[in-house]
Amino acid sequence: MPRTVELNDKIQLLMNDKEEVDINWQQNFKKRKKDFFVIPFKVIDQEYAGVLFVEKDKFDEFNELIFETDKVAVSEKFQYGQSKNKVIRFLVFHDKKDNIYQHRFKATGEFKKMMIMMSEKFDIIPCIGKELKIIAESLKAYVGDPLRNF
C-alpha cells in the first residue's frame, strides 16, 4: 500500500493553485457554512501529494506555521480524512470544535480537481481516477465519518 501524509511530515504547498470553496454541514441541528482555501501539496522527500483545506478565518494562524517559503510541518493542529482503503488522505486546518464529516470535503469539485491535477503533475498516486470514483459512489449513501486527529 502506498504511503500517505503522516504526522510530522513536511509538506510543500502549491499556493499559486489554491482555490476557495464553501463547506456546508449541520451541527447541533443547525445549518453551518464556512469558507475554506483548498491548497494542493506534496510531501517533501516522499512520493505522495494531496489536498489541504484551510478555514479562511484561520488562515493567519495557519501562516504562522509556515517555516520556509510555502512549507509546513504536519502537526496535531491538523485533522485528516481518507478513503476507505487509506490510499487517499487529505488534511484539514480548522476550528476543531466544528464537527464536519469527511464527505463534506471529499464531495467538493475542488477536491477532485486538485487530486487529479496533483496525480498528473507528480505521477505518484496510482489509480487516482478509480479511487475518486469509489469515493463518489460511497458518498451517495454516506451517513458520516468524522475527521480524525493525528
Side-chain angles (χ1 to χ4, degrees):
M1 183 179 326
R3 183 188 184 285
T4 61
V5 61
E6 301 288 345
L7 182 65
N8 299 319
D9 278 349
K10 292 174 180 50
I11 59 175
Q12 175 71 52
L13 305 168
L14 281 71
M15 297 297 272
N16 290 337
D17 294 319
K18 86 175 177 215
E19 296 191 15
E20 282 189 52
V21 65
D22 293 335
I23 301 292
N24 297 284
W25 78 100
Q26 189 169 344
Q27 184 171 330
N28 298 327
F29 304 105
K30 293 181 184 176
K31 290 186 178 190
R32 307 279 308 272
K33 174 183 146 185
K34 287 199 176 174
D35 298 322
F36 282 78
F37 289 114
V38 185
I39 307 166
F41 69 84
K42 179 182 182 317
V43 179
I44 298 170
D45 298 328
Q46 297 292 329
E47 291 191 7
Y48 189 82
V51 177
L52 165 65
F53 291 84
V54 178
E55 184 180 322
K56 195 172 182 181
D57 290 341
K58 295 187 75 67
F59 196 70
D60 289 339
E61 181 182 336
F62 173 75
N63 276 329
E64 292 175 13
L65 300 176
I66 295 175
F67 63 88
E68 286 180 19
T69 305
D70 296 337
K71 293 179 184 170
V72 67
V74 178
S75 69
E76 290 88 2
K77 293 183 180 200
F78 293 81
Q79 288 188 303
Y80 69 90
Q82 61 191 8
S83 59
K84 187 175 181 178
N85 63 1
K86 302 177 185 175
V87 172
I88 296 176
R89 181 176 284 181
F90 62 94
L91 299 173
V92 182
F93 186 88
H94 71 122
D95 184 344
K96 291 184 180 181
K97 290 183 228 159
D98 293 334
N99 187 23
I100 309 172
Y101 288 141
Q102 292 183 36
H103 69 278
R104 296 296 181 185
F105 296 94
K106 292 188 272 190
T108 66
E110 288 79 4
F111 174 81
K112 182 177 179 180
K113 181 174 116 180
M114 294 280 188
M115 290 301 294
I116 291 170
M117 183 264 295
M118 294 303 287
S119 68
E120 291 171 351
K121 184 171 187 159
F122 295 108
D123 191 31
I124 54 179
I125 303 175
C127 306
I128 191 71
K130 181 180 175 186
E131 291 300 320
L132 290 172
K133 185 176 180 180
I134 291 168
I135 288 171
E137 289 298 316
S138 70
L139 294 177
K140 291 179 182 175
Y142 213 97
V143 175
D145 193 14
L147 293 169
R148 302 165 194 255
N149 294 313
F150 281 103

mmCIF file of all heavy atoms in Angstrom, residues 27-59:
data_model
loop_
_atom_site.group_PDB
_atom_site.id
_atom_site.type_symbol
_atom_site.label_atom_id
_atom_site.label_comp_id
_atom_site.label_asym_id
_atom_site.label_seq_id
_atom_site.Cartn_x
_atom_site.Cartn_y
_atom_site.Cartn_z
ATOM 1 N N GLN A 27 -24.767 20.879 12.387
ATOM 2 C CA GLN A 27 -24.212 20.562 13.703
ATOM 3 C C GLN A 27 -25.181 21.082 14.752
ATOM 4 O O GLN A 27 -25.616 22.236 14.684
ATOM 5 C CB GLN A 27 -22.838 21.218 13.850
ATOM 6 C CG GLN A 27 -22.120 20.876 15.127
ATOM 7 C CD GLN A 27 -20.673 21.393 15.106
ATOM 8 O OE1 GLN A 27 -20.049 21.486 14.065
ATOM 9 N NE2 GLN A 27 -20.169 21.714 16.264
ATOM 10 N N ASN A 28 -25.504 20.255 15.720
ATOM 11 C CA ASN A 28 -26.458 20.620 16.770
ATOM 12 C C ASN A 28 -27.774 21.122 16.166
ATOM 13 O O ASN A 28 -28.333 22.116 16.617
ATOM 14 C CB ASN A 28 -25.869 21.670 17.712
ATOM 15 C CG ASN A 28 -24.639 21.162 18.423
ATOM 16 O OD1 ASN A 28 -24.522 19.984 18.726
ATOM 17 N ND2 ASN A 28 -23.692 22.050 18.665
ATOM 18 N N PHE A 29 -28.224 20.429 15.118
ATOM 19 C CA PHE A 29 -29.483 20.718 14.435
ATOM 20 C C PHE A 29 -29.524 22.094 13.773
ATOM 21 O O PHE A 29 -30.594 22.621 13.501
ATOM 22 C CB PHE A 29 -30.671 20.541 15.387
ATOM 23 C CG PHE A 29 -30.721 19.187 16.003
ATOM 24 C CD1 PHE A 29 -30.353 18.994 17.330
ATOM 25 C CD2 PHE A 29 -31.109 18.086 15.258
ATOM 26 C CE1 PHE A 29 -30.383 17.734 17.903
ATOM 27 C CE2 PHE A 29 -31.152 16.821 15.816
ATOM 28 C CZ PHE A 29 -30.771 16.645 17.147
ATOM 29 N N LYS A 30 -28.353 22.683 13.529
ATOM 30 C CA LYS A 30 -28.273 23.976 12.844
ATOM 31 C C LYS A 30 -27.426 23.830 11.595
ATOM 32 O O LYS A 30 -26.403 23.140 11.606
ATOM 33 C CB LYS A 30 -27.630 25.037 13.750
ATOM 34 C CG LYS A 30 -28.457 25.398 14.949
ATOM 35 C CD LYS A 30 -27.763 26.468 15.759
ATOM 36 C CE LYS A 30 -28.544 26.754 17.025
ATOM 37 N NZ LYS A 30 -27.859 27.720 17.879
ATOM 38 N N LYS A 31 -27.864 24.491 10.526
ATOM 39 C CA LYS A 31 -27.074 24.504 9.307
ATOM 40 C C LYS A 31 -25.879 25.425 9.511
ATOM 41 O O LYS A 31 -26.010 26.519 10.076
ATOM 42 C CB LYS A 31 -27.913 24.960 8.118
ATOM 43 C CG LYS A 31 -28.957 23.948 7.721
ATOM 44 C CD LYS A 31 -29.672 24.347 6.465
ATOM 45 C CE LYS A 31 -30.661 23.251 6.108
ATOM 46 N NZ LYS A 31 -31.226 23.448 4.804
ATOM 47 N N ARG A 32 -24.714 24.952 9.065
ATOM 48 C CA ARG A 32 -23.472 25.716 9.222
ATOM 49 C C ARG A 32 -22.783 25.832 7.867
ATOM 50 O O ARG A 32 -22.950 24.961 7.007
ATOM 51 C CB ARG A 32 -22.531 25.011 10.197
ATOM 52 C CG ARG A 32 -23.120 24.646 11.555
ATOM 53 C CD ARG A 32 -23.176 25.774 12.551
ATOM 54 N NE ARG A 32 -21.930 26.447 12.742
ATOM 55 C CZ ARG A 32 -20.974 26.105 13.622
ATOM 56 N NH1 ARG A 32 -21.140 25.052 14.386
ATOM 57 N NH2 ARG A 32 -19.869 26.800 13.729
ATOM 58 N N LYS A 33 -21.993 26.874 7.706
ATOM 59 C CA LYS A 33 -21.238 27.077 6.473
ATOM 60 C C LYS A 33 -19.982 27.877 6.801
ATOM 61 O O LYS A 33 -20.039 28.849 7.557
ATOM 62 C CB LYS A 33 -22.078 27.842 5.456
ATOM 63 C CG LYS A 33 -21.342 28.220 4.194
ATOM 64 C CD LYS A 33 -22.241 29.037 3.290
ATOM 65 C CE LYS A 33 -21.412 30.045 2.563
ATOM 66 N NZ LYS A 33 -22.168 30.954 1.748
ATOM 67 N N LYS A 34 -18.856 27.430 6.246
ATOM 68 C CA LYS A 34 -17.602 28.168 6.388
ATOM 69 C C LYS A 34 -16.858 28.123 5.066
ATOM 70 O O LYS A 34 -16.990 27.187 4.284
ATOM 71 C CB LYS A 34 -16.729 27.582 7.493
ATOM 72 C CG LYS A 34 -17.261 27.894 8.881
ATOM 73 C CD LYS A 34 -16.215 27.741 9.935
ATOM 74 C CE LYS A 34 -16.790 28.168 11.287
ATOM 75 N NZ LYS A 34 -15.870 27.902 12.368
ATOM 76 N N ASP A 35 -16.065 29.161 4.851
ATOM 77 C CA ASP A 35 -15.237 29.244 3.655
ATOM 78 C C ASP A 35 -13.874 28.631 3.946
ATOM 79 O O ASP A 35 -13.296 28.852 5.023
ATOM 80 C CB ASP A 35 -15.041 30.702 3.230
ATOM 81 C CG ASP A 35 -16.357 31.382 2.870
ATOM 82 O OD1 ASP A 35 -17.207 30.715 2.269
ATOM 83 O OD2 ASP A 35 -16.518 32.566 3.196
ATOM 84 N N PHE A 36 -13.365 27.877 2.979
ATOM 85 C CA PHE A 36 -12.062 27.232 3.092
ATOM 86 C C PHE A 36 -11.226 27.538 1.856
ATOM 87 O O PHE A 36 -11.764 27.712 0.769
ATOM 88 C CB PHE A 36 -12.210 25.705 3.198
ATOM 89 C CG PHE A 36 -12.614 25.213 4.552
ATOM 90 C CD1 PHE A 36 -13.928 25.300 4.971
ATOM 91 C CD2 PHE A 36 -11.670 24.657 5.413
ATOM 92 C CE1 PHE A 36 -14.310 24.838 6.224
ATOM 93 C CE2 PHE A 36 -12.039 24.194 6.667
ATOM 94 C CZ PHE A 36 -13.363 24.282 7.072
ATOM 95 N N PHE A 37 -9.918 27.585 2.050
ATOM 96 C CA PHE A 37 -8.988 27.559 0.929
ATOM 97 C C PHE A 37 -8.636 26.091 0.683
ATOM 98 O O PHE A 37 -8.428 25.337 1.639
ATOM 99 C CB PHE A 37 -7.699 28.330 1.240
ATOM 100 C CG PHE A 37 -7.895 29.815 1.297
ATOM 101 C CD1 PHE A 37 -7.724 30.500 2.490
ATOM 102 C CD2 PHE A 37 -8.224 30.542 0.156
ATOM 103 C CE1 PHE A 37 -7.894 31.870 2.554
ATOM 104 C CE2 PHE A 37 -8.399 31.913 0.211
ATOM 105 C CZ PHE A 37 -8.237 32.580 1.415
ATOM 106 N N VAL A 38 -8.575 25.696 -0.568
ATOM 107 C CA VAL A 38 -8.164 24.350 -0.951
ATOM 108 C C VAL A 38 -6.787 24.496 -1.575
ATOM 109 O O VAL A 38 -6.620 25.200 -2.567
ATOM 110 C CB VAL A 38 -9.143 23.727 -1.969
ATOM 111 C CG1 VAL A 38 -8.765 22.283 -2.246
ATOM 112 C CG2 VAL A 38 -10.571 23.826 -1.472
ATOM 113 N N ILE A 39 -5.786 23.857 -0.959
ATOM 114 C CA ILE A 39 -4.391 24.030 -1.381
ATOM 115 C C ILE A 39 -3.775 22.660 -1.664
ATOM 116 O O ILE A 39 -3.714 21.809 -0.776
ATOM 117 C CB ILE A 39 -3.572 24.741 -0.275
ATOM 118 C CG1 ILE A 39 -4.250 26.049 0.141
ATOM 119 C CG2 ILE A 39 -2.134 24.978 -0.739
ATOM 120 C CD1 ILE A 39 -3.718 26.652 1.432
ATOM 121 N N PRO A 40 -3.284 22.451 -2.878
ATOM 122 C CA PRO A 40 -2.589 21.190 -3.154
ATOM 123 C C PRO A 40 -1.220 21.174 -2.478
ATOM 124 O O PRO A 40 -0.618 22.231 -2.246
ATOM 125 C CB PRO A 40 -2.467 21.165 -4.679
ATOM 126 C CG PRO A 40 -2.607 22.574 -5.107
ATOM 127 C CD PRO A 40 -3.384 23.298 -4.056
ATOM 128 N N PHE A 41 -0.747 19.986 -2.135
ATOM 129 C CA PHE A 41 0.574 19.869 -1.506
ATOM 130 C C PHE A 41 1.272 18.604 -1.964
ATOM 131 O O PHE A 41 0.652 17.657 -2.444
ATOM 132 C CB PHE A 41 0.467 19.884 0.028
ATOM 133 C CG PHE A 41 -0.182 18.650 0.615
ATOM 134 C CD1 PHE A 41 0.549 17.493 0.859
ATOM 135 C CD2 PHE A 41 -1.525 18.648 0.934
ATOM 136 C CE1 PHE A 41 -0.044 16.356 1.400
ATOM 137 C CE2 PHE A 41 -2.139 17.516 1.477
ATOM 138 C CZ PHE A 41 -1.387 16.373 1.698
ATOM 139 N N LYS A 42 2.581 18.604 -1.765
ATOM 140 C CA LYS A 42 3.400 17.412 -1.989
ATOM 141 C C LYS A 42 4.192 17.165 -0.714
ATOM 142 O O LYS A 42 4.721 18.095 -0.117
ATOM 143 C CB LYS A 42 4.359 17.611 -3.151
ATOM 144 C CG LYS A 42 5.233 16.381 -3.379
ATOM 145 C CD LYS A 42 6.224 16.556 -4.486
ATOM 146 C CE LYS A 42 7.053 15.309 -4.736
ATOM 147 N NZ LYS A 42 7.559 14.598 -3.608
ATOM 148 N N VAL A 43 4.250 15.913 -0.279
ATOM 149 C CA VAL A 43 5.056 15.564 0.890
ATOM 150 C C VAL A 43 6.519 15.598 0.460
ATOM 151 O O VAL A 43 6.910 14.950 -0.515
ATOM 152 C CB VAL A 43 4.681 14.170 1.443
ATOM 153 C CG1 VAL A 43 5.560 13.818 2.640
ATOM 154 C CG2 VAL A 43 3.211 14.128 1.834
ATOM 155 N N ILE A 44 7.315 16.370 1.169
ATOM 156 C CA ILE A 44 8.734 16.518 0.847
ATOM 157 C C ILE A 44 9.449 15.193 1.092
ATOM 158 O O ILE A 44 9.252 14.548 2.120
ATOM 159 C CB ILE A 44 9.362 17.663 1.677
ATOM 160 C CG1 ILE A 44 8.676 18.990 1.315
ATOM 161 C CG2 ILE A 44 10.873 17.752 1.462
ATOM 162 C CD1 ILE A 44 9.033 20.154 2.215
ATOM 163 N N ASP A 45 10.257 14.784 0.146
ATOM 164 C CA ASP A 45 11.049 13.545 0.197
ATOM 165 C C ASP A 45 10.196 12.274 0.198
ATOM 166 O O ASP A 45 10.668 11.213 0.612
ATOM 167 C CB ASP A 45 12.003 13.528 1.399
ATOM 168 C CG ASP A 45 13.026 14.659 1.343
ATOM 169 O OD1 ASP A 45 13.416 15.048 0.221
ATOM 170 O OD2 ASP A 45 13.422 15.144 2.407
ATOM 171 N N GLN A 46 8.954 12.367 -0.226
ATOM 172 C CA GLN A 46 8.083 11.199 -0.329
ATOM 173 C C GLN A 46 7.336 11.275 -1.653
ATOM 174 O O GLN A 46 7.175 12.347 -2.225
ATOM 175 C CB GLN A 46 7.066 11.140 0.817
ATOM 176 C CG GLN A 46 7.661 11.006 2.185
ATOM 177 C CD GLN A 46 8.325 9.650 2.389
ATOM 178 O OE1 GLN A 46 7.919 8.646 1.827
ATOM 179 N NE2 GLN A 46 9.350 9.633 3.211
ATOM 180 N N GLU A 47 6.853 10.165 -2.110
ATOM 181 C CA GLU A 47 6.070 10.130 -3.339
ATOM 182 C C GLU A 47 4.591 10.176 -3.008
ATOM 183 O O GLU A 47 3.847 9.222 -3.259
ATOM 184 C CB GLU A 47 6.427 8.887 -4.156
ATOM 185 C CG GLU A 47 7.813 8.947 -4.718
ATOM 186 C CD GLU A 47 8.078 7.859 -5.740
ATOM 187 O OE1 GLU A 47 7.140 7.122 -6.108
ATOM 188 O OE2 GLU A 47 9.224 7.754 -6.168
ATOM 189 N N TYR A 48 4.156 11.293 -2.428
ATOM 190 C CA TYR A 48 2.746 11.460 -2.123
ATOM 191 C C TYR A 48 2.380 12.935 -2.255
ATOM 192 O O TYR A 48 3.116 13.808 -1.819
ATOM 193 C CB TYR A 48 2.390 10.969 -0.717
ATOM 194 C CG TYR A 48 0.895 10.937 -0.506
ATOM 195 C CD1 TYR A 48 0.139 9.867 -0.959
ATOM 196 C CD2 TYR A 48 0.242 12.011 0.073
ATOM 197 C CE1 TYR A 48 -1.238 9.858 -0.833
ATOM 198 C CE2 TYR A 48 -1.139 12.005 0.208
ATOM 199 C CZ TYR A 48 -1.875 10.929 -0.247
ATOM 200 O OH TYR A 48 -3.228 10.923 -0.132
ATOM 201 N N ALA A 49 1.225 13.175 -2.853
ATOM 202 C CA ALA A 49 0.680 14.523 -2.981
ATOM 203 C C ALA A 49 -0.780 14.465 -2.565
ATOM 204 O O ALA A 49 -1.416 13.417 -2.641
ATOM 205 C CB ALA A 49 0.823 15.015 -4.415
ATOM 206 N N GLY A 50 -1.297 15.578 -2.117
ATOM 207 C CA GLY A 50 -2.675 15.592 -1.660
ATOM 208 C C GLY A 50 -3.250 16.985 -1.626
ATOM 209 O O GLY A 50 -2.737 17.910 -2.255
ATOM 210 N N VAL A 51 -4.311 17.131 -0.854
ATOM 211 C CA VAL A 51 -5.056 18.382 -0.778
ATOM 212 C C VAL A 51 -5.207 18.779 0.690
ATOM 213 O O VAL A 51 -5.498 17.938 1.548
ATOM 214 C CB VAL A 51 -6.450 18.220 -1.429
ATOM 215 C CG1 VAL A 51 -7.268 19.484 -1.283
ATOM 216 C CG2 VAL A 51 -6.299 17.866 -2.901
ATOM 217 N N LEU A 52 -5.026 20.063 0.955
ATOM 218 C CA LEU A 52 -5.194 20.647 2.286
ATOM 219 C C LEU A 52 -6.329 21.657 2.240
ATOM 220 O O LEU A 52 -6.369 22.506 1.345
ATOM 221 C CB LEU A 52 -3.890 21.340 2.705
ATOM 222 C CG LEU A 52 -3.944 22.312 3.888
ATOM 223 C CD1 LEU A 52 -4.289 21.597 5.179
ATOM 224 C CD2 LEU A 52 -2.622 23.044 4.017
ATOM 225 N N PHE A 53 -7.260 21.564 3.197
ATOM 226 C CA PHE A 53 -8.324 22.547 3.362
ATOM 227 C C PHE A 53 -7.964 23.409 4.567
ATOM 228 O O PHE A 53 -7.750 22.885 5.660
ATOM 229 C CB PHE A 53 -9.664 21.858 3.631
ATOM 230 C CG PHE A 53 -10.220 21.110 2.456
ATOM 231 C CD1 PHE A 53 -9.812 19.813 2.178
ATOM 232 C CD2 PHE A 53 -11.164 21.702 1.628
ATOM 233 C CE1 PHE A 53 -10.328 19.113 1.101
ATOM 234 C CE2 PHE A 53 -11.689 21.008 0.547
ATOM 235 C CZ PHE A 53 -11.270 19.708 0.275
ATOM 236 N N VAL A 54 -7.907 24.725 4.360
ATOM 237 C CA VAL A 54 -7.607 25.657 5.450
ATOM 238 C C VAL A 54 -8.802 26.595 5.609
ATOM 239 O O VAL A 54 -9.173 27.297 4.659
ATOM 240 C CB VAL A 54 -6.333 26.490 5.176
ATOM 241 C CG1 VAL A 54 -6.080 27.479 6.312
ATOM 242 C CG2 VAL A 54 -5.127 25.583 4.980
ATOM 243 N N GLU A 55 -9.387 26.599 6.813
ATOM 244 C CA GLU A 55 -10.503 27.503 7.081
ATOM 245 C C GLU A 55 -10.037 28.939 6.866
ATOM 246 O O GLU A 55 -8.997 29.351 7.401
ATOM 247 C CB GLU A 55 -10.986 27.305 8.517
ATOM 248 C CG GLU A 55 -12.197 28.122 8.869
ATOM 249 C CD GLU A 55 -12.636 27.890 10.311
ATOM 250 O OE1 GLU A 55 -12.569 26.746 10.792
ATOM 251 O OE2 GLU A 55 -13.044 28.882 10.933
ATOM 252 N N LYS A 56 -10.788 29.678 6.091
ATOM 253 C CA LYS A 56 -10.398 31.044 5.725
ATOM 254 C C LYS A 56 -10.187 31.919 6.963
ATOM 255 O O LYS A 56 -9.242 32.703 7.012
ATOM 256 C CB LYS A 56 -11.466 31.645 4.805
ATOM 257 C CG LYS A 56 -11.037 32.871 4.078
ATOM 258 C CD LYS A 56 -12.088 33.267 3.044
ATOM 259 C CE LYS A 56 -11.643 34.471 2.274
ATOM 260 N NZ LYS A 56 -12.661 34.876 1.280
ATOM 261 N N ASP A 57 -11.032 31.768 7.978
ATOM 262 C CA ASP A 57 -10.906 32.573 9.199
ATOM 263 C C ASP A 57 -9.673 32.202 10.025
ATOM 264 O O ASP A 57 -9.311 32.919 10.947
ATOM 265 C CB ASP A 57 -12.152 32.439 10.069
ATOM 266 C CG ASP A 57 -13.366 33.125 9.454
ATOM 267 O OD1 ASP A 57 -13.186 33.987 8.568
ATOM 268 O OD2 ASP A 57 -14.501 32.788 9.852
ATOM 269 N N LYS A 58 -9.037 31.071 9.727
ATOM 270 C CA LYS A 58 -7.849 30.636 10.470
ATOM 271 C C LYS A 58 -6.588 30.692 9.603
ATOM 272 O O LYS A 58 -5.551 30.155 9.967
ATOM 273 C CB LYS A 58 -8.067 29.216 11.006
ATOM 274 C CG LYS A 58 -9.195 29.173 12.044
ATOM 275 C CD LYS A 58 -9.331 27.868 12.714
ATOM 276 C CE LYS A 58 -8.316 27.536 13.719
ATOM 277 N NZ LYS A 58 -8.237 28.273 14.957
ATOM 278 N N PHE A 59 -6.687 31.371 8.452
ATOM 279 C CA PHE A 59 -5.556 31.400 7.526
ATOM 280 C C PHE A 59 -4.347 32.130 8.118
ATOM 281 O O PHE A 59 -3.207 31.700 7.914
ATOM 282 C CB PHE A 59 -5.977 32.030 6.194
ATOM 283 C CG PHE A 59 -5.018 31.755 5.080
ATOM 284 C CD1 PHE A 59 -4.912 30.476 4.552
ATOM 285 C CD2 PHE A 59 -4.216 32.751 4.567
ATOM 286 C CE1 PHE A 59 -4.022 30.192 3.525
ATOM 287 C CE2 PHE A 59 -3.333 32.491 3.538
ATOM 288 C CZ PHE A 59 -3.240 31.212 3.020
#
